[in-house]
């Protein structure tokens, strides 16, 4: 079922070491179609062309597949719990769930309308073991049901790394990992050392690469949770972004 989008996507994902099955490509095509339709009535993304969706949404989301596979091996189980913090239009969460169906996925966003759309997508793709969470990270990170309950947190957000760490590390179990998906990250990493230490994390590695088919710099910062996040974090809504830990 090759079309322009699936051809571009297949080439791009090969470069990042992800082999997509026919079923994966079919599901991602369905998601792309639903995204375009919904985007006509609701602002989900300004990227709606085949190449943009294939590379900047799907391939970009799938750059963390190998890290999740590594965690599965380390933990000796497939059904790791992953929270996608500030999922927006479902990135990276939905493409990850398509390619790694065993993931126990939670899509978190502060806008219920977006989550309603993602529920439709999940229903259409026949997902099991997934849920949505309507909340701000600062509130959900304090909630016993979610605090330190996840093996993996991901975020593909525009916030700076110190802020993202305060949003995401409170969700991660001790021994789990936060995968921060960033552009060029050198300065941000230097600025985030204190925040990461305070929040109970430790940078395990940073991988830098160019997103296939583009000249866009990308980096994945792997932050291992080594101890519990102190109870005062995350601070109340708005504080982390206005006054990052530094």
């Amino acid at each position: 079922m090759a079309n322009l989008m699936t051809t571009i996507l297949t080439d791009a994902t090969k470069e990042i070491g992800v082999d997509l099955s026919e079923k994966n490509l079919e599901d991602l095509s369905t998601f792309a179609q639903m995204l375009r339709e919904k985007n006509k009535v609701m602002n989900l993304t300004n990227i709606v062309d085949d190449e943009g969706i294939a590379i900047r949404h799907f391939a970009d989301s799938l750059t963390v597949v190998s890290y999740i596979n590594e965690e599965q091996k380390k933990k000796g189980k497939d059904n790791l719990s992953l929270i996608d913090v500030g999922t927006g239009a479902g990135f990276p969460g939905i493409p990850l769930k398509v390619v790694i169906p065993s993931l126990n996925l939670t899509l978190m966003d502060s806008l219920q309308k977006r989550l309603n759309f993602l529920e439709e997508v999940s229903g259409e793709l026949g997902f099991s073991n997934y849920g949505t969470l309507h909340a701000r990270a600062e509130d959900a990170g304090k909630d016993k049901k979610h605090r330190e309950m996840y093996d993996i947190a991901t975020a593909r957000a525009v916030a700076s790394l110190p802020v993202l760490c305060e949003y995401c590390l409170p969700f991660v179990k001790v021994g789990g990992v936060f995968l921060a998906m960033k552009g060029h990250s050198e300065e941000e990493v230097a600025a985030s050392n204190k925040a990461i230490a305070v929040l109970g994390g430790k940078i395990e590695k940073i991988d830098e690469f160019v997103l296939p088919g583009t000249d866009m710099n990308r980096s994945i910062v792997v932050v291992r949770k080594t101890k519990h996040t102190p109870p005062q974090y995350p601070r109340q809504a708005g504080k982390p972004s206005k006054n990052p830990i530094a």
Side-chain angles (χ1 to χ4, degrees):
M1 199 205 65
N3 55 33
L4 180 60
M5 193 201 77
T6 58
T7 304
I8 294 168
L9 182 56
T10 305
D11 291 345
T13 49
K14 274 196 181 123
E15 279 190 52
I16 56 169
V18 177
D19 280 327
L20 298 178
S21 67
E22 276 299 316
K23 170 89 168 85
N24 293 159
L25 290 167
E26 233 167 83
D27 286 351
L28 290 168
S29 291
T30 301
F31 179 27
Q33 212 175 322
M34 292 178 80
L35 184 66
R36 285 191 181 110
E37 276 309 303
K38 185 58 79 172
N39 210 52
K40 290 174 185 169
V41 292
M42 170 184 174
N43 182 24
L44 286 165
T45 177
N46 54 11
I47 298 167
V48 289
D49 61 295
D50 280 341
E51 189 174 359
I53 289 177
I55 290 179
R56 292 173 63 189
H57 280 329
F58 293 166
D60 195 30
S61 295
L62 296 173
T63 55
V64 291
V65 166
S66 62
Y67 300 85
I68 295 168
N69 290 340
E70 219 171 283
E71 285 302 296
Q72 289 174 322
K73 284 193 194 108
K74 270 185 193 155
K75 302 276 193 298
K77 58 177 191 170
D78 289 340
N79 61 337
L80 297 184
S81 51
L82 182 147
I83 184 165
D84 180 11
V85 177
T87 187
F91 303 111
I94 298 261
L96 290 174
K97 179 75 173 163
V98 165
V99 174
I100 312 173
S102 59
L103 274 182
N104 201 333
L105 175 69
T106 300
L107 298 166
M108 192 192 95
D109 202 79
S110 58
L111 197 64
Q112 185 63 55
K113 276 199 302 194
R114 283 197 285 249
L115 294 175
N116 292 345
F117 164 65
L118 297 176
E119 291 273 3
E120 283 172 39
V121 172
S122 302
E124 182 65 35
L125 299 182
F127 288 168
S128 55
N129 297 331
Y130 81 95
T132 56
L133 173 59
H134 176 227
R136 291 183 68 129
E138 300 99 321
D139 300 326
K142 292 267 196 197
D143 181 342
K144 281 195 192 88
K145 278 189 239 155
H146 298 283
R147 186 178 180 87
E148 299 195 333
M149 295 301 280
Y150 297 88
D151 297 302
I152 304 170
T154 56
R156 201 181 72 136
V158 289
S160 70
L161 194 55
V163 176
L164 266 192
C165 286
E166 188 169 351
Y167 289 158
C168 295
L169 275 172
F171 291 109
V172 181
K173 296 172 182 176
V174 173
V177 75
F178 165 41
L179 302 173
M181 307 171 73
K182 302 293 299 173
H184 188 60
S185 65
E186 212 171 306
E187 282 165 25
E188 288 191 32
V189 169
S192 68
N193 285 331
K194 184 178 176 191
I196 290 171
V198 165
L199 295 160
K202 187 176 184 228
I203 291 184
E204 198 163 83
K205 63 174 170 173
I206 302 161
D207 289 330
E208 308 217 341
F209 55 96
V210 174
L211 188 63
T214 75
D215 55 4
M216 293 175 188
N217 290 316
R218 286 286 184 267
S219 51
I220 292 168
V221 184
V222 180
V223 183
R224 181 71 55 188
K225 183 81 169 265
T226 55
K227 52 184 198 284
H228 295 291
T229 298
Q232 66 268 37
Y233 298 105
R235 291 165 294 165
Q236 67 197 65
K239 272 269 171 70
S241 54
K242 281 198 192 84
N243 188 13
I245 302 166

